[in-house]
Amino acid sequence: MAAIYSGIHQKLNSHLTPWPDKLKLARFAWVSSQCLLPNKEQFLFDWVARALSGYYSKKVEVPQEVVEGLWTFLNEILHSKKLCNVLSTGKTINIHPAVPQMINERILESKSGTLSVNLCTILSCCEGILAFPLLAVTYTAKYELLVELVVKTSGLACFQLQQQESTEPLSVKVFEVLLLVLSTYLTVQRQQGNPRRVFVQVTEHLLQPLCLLRHLITSRTWTEKDDTRIRQQMSKEIWSKVDLILQSALFYHEYLQ
């Protein structure tokens, strides 16, 4: 086994290694104690990010089933016990800056029907990043990028809520991630030192989608096909978060004096 998986670093970076084999090697490297790579966790995070970024920037040709597999692999490592253990030791792992942008773009694609990978996998990757403050900094350190994520996830939820006559039930994952995104954003908004910057971002980018989201949630005729977690709990929490975001941004106390 060790012989088969020797030279993983070189094979993952080689254009001669077929993509399906690269994905198998990366998965093995993540879970196996037999695979010894310098800074292995960071290397694998960077590798999958570069692979996806290369595909979406059309610099690299990757089979569609491998693209799906790359997102699945990223999701697996973000939710793995191994990652929890690594981060608990105080080790720093950085998310490649291309990853949050790719997530935002895929969420937008899901509304237009052009998304070629599983939406729940994309949302789960987003959830995995935001669940760890050390990883979430890839969003929270860039206020405008986080605003964009709020816009995209709110828009996705609105799109689903507007399909009242659809036979497809509301996606629990969409609303779980939306609630996490709103909670993360609210924390970051409160930490901003420039209330005018917040005011501008909210009025220019968030006011319309959040008001629409609030309206659709409060006016929806809930039915039995709607998951009870959404209609009884998450909808109320989302409504509350939206109110807090808008009130604190638009009615900042210094502006009212």
Side-chain angles (χ1 to χ4, degrees):
M1 180 66 74
I4 296 174
Y5 289 103
S6 63
I8 284 182
H9 187 286
Q10 181 179 357
K11 290 175 181 177
L12 286 177
N13 288 324
S14 173
H15 68 279
L16 299 177
T17 308
W19 276 104
D21 291 347
K22 286 185 178 183
L23 189 54
K24 291 177 184 176
L25 287 169
R27 281 199 163 109
F28 169 82
W30 179 262
V31 301
S32 177
S33 58
Q34 299 178 47
C35 177
L36 301 177
L37 286 170
N39 203 12
K40 180 171 74 171
E41 294 80 15
Q42 185 66 64
F43 168 74
L44 291 173
F45 263 106
D46 289 344
W47 175 81
V48 70
R50 287 196 305 270
L52 286 168
S53 179
Y55 168 76
Y56 286 112
S57 63
K58 302 187 185 303
K59 294 179 181 178
V60 180
E61 290 188 12
V62 184
Q64 184 56 46
E65 64 272 15
V66 174
V67 175
E68 183 86 45
L70 289 169
W71 279 111
T72 301
F73 175 54
L74 178 59
N75 185 48
E76 288 170 352
I77 62 179
L78 283 168
H79 291 274
S80 66
K81 185 176 180 181
K82 178 181 177 65
L83 179 62
C84 290
N85 293 337
V86 169
L87 293 177
S88 67
T89 66
K91 187 173 182 178
T92 299
I93 292 180
N94 298 311
I95 297 292
H96 193 285
V99 172
Q101 192 60 56
M102 288 190 292
I103 288 174
N104 288 5
E105 290 168 356
R106 302 293 79 73
I107 294 174
L108 181 61
E109 286 179 353
S110 69
K111 282 182 59 183
S112 62
T114 59
L115 183 64
S116 58
V117 295
N118 187 282
L119 174 61
C120 283
T121 303
I122 302 298
L123 293 174
S124 188
C125 287
C126 179
E127 186 178 40
I129 292 172
L130 294 180
F132 293 102
L134 186 63
L135 303 182
V137 71
T138 191
Y139 272 113
T140 58
K142 298 178 180 178
Y143 182 51
E144 286 76 11
L145 188 63
L146 184 57
V147 168
E148 182 184 336
L149 180 62
V150 175
V151 172
K152 297 292 192 296
T153 50
S154 298
L156 180 59
C158 288
F159 177 75
Q160 289 211 347
L161 288 165
Q162 287 172 319
Q163 311 302 308
Q164 182 79 56
E165 304 304 320
S166 173
T167 57
E168 290 292 324
L170 295 174
S171 168
V172 174
K173 179 59 71 176
V174 167
F175 288 86
E176 284 178 342
V177 173
L178 172 60
L179 183 56
L180 177 58
V181 169
L182 292 175
S183 299
T184 302
Y185 172 79
L186 183 58
T187 299
V188 172
Q189 178 176 285
R190 286 169 169 165
Q191 294 171 345
Q192 294 299 303
N194 185 346
R196 187 168 296 279
R197 180 190 184 198
V198 172
F199 180 84
V200 170
Q201 286 292 322
V202 170
T203 53
E204 291 187 358
H205 302 290
L206 296 181
L207 184 59
Q208 191 275 336
L210 290 183
C211 284
L212 177 60
L213 175 64
R214 188 185 190 282
H215 166 71
L216 292 173
I217 285 178
T218 56
S219 64
R220 182 177 178 83
T221 303
W222 298 98
T223 65
E224 290 185 357
K225 74 175 183 179
D226 294 320
D227 192 286
T228 55
R229 288 169 291 177
I230 298 176
R231 70 173 189 257
Q232 293 182 4
Q233 180 182 356
M234 283 188 278
S235 62
K236 294 180 177 63
E237 292 183 33
I238 290 170
W239 176 4
S240 175
K241 297 292 183 188
V242 167
D243 283 355
L244 287 171
I245 289 170
L246 295 180
Q247 288 170 8
S248 60
L250 302 180
F251 303 104
Y252 186 66
H253 64 89
E254 288 188 3
Y255 294 160
L256 302 178
Q257 294 177 353

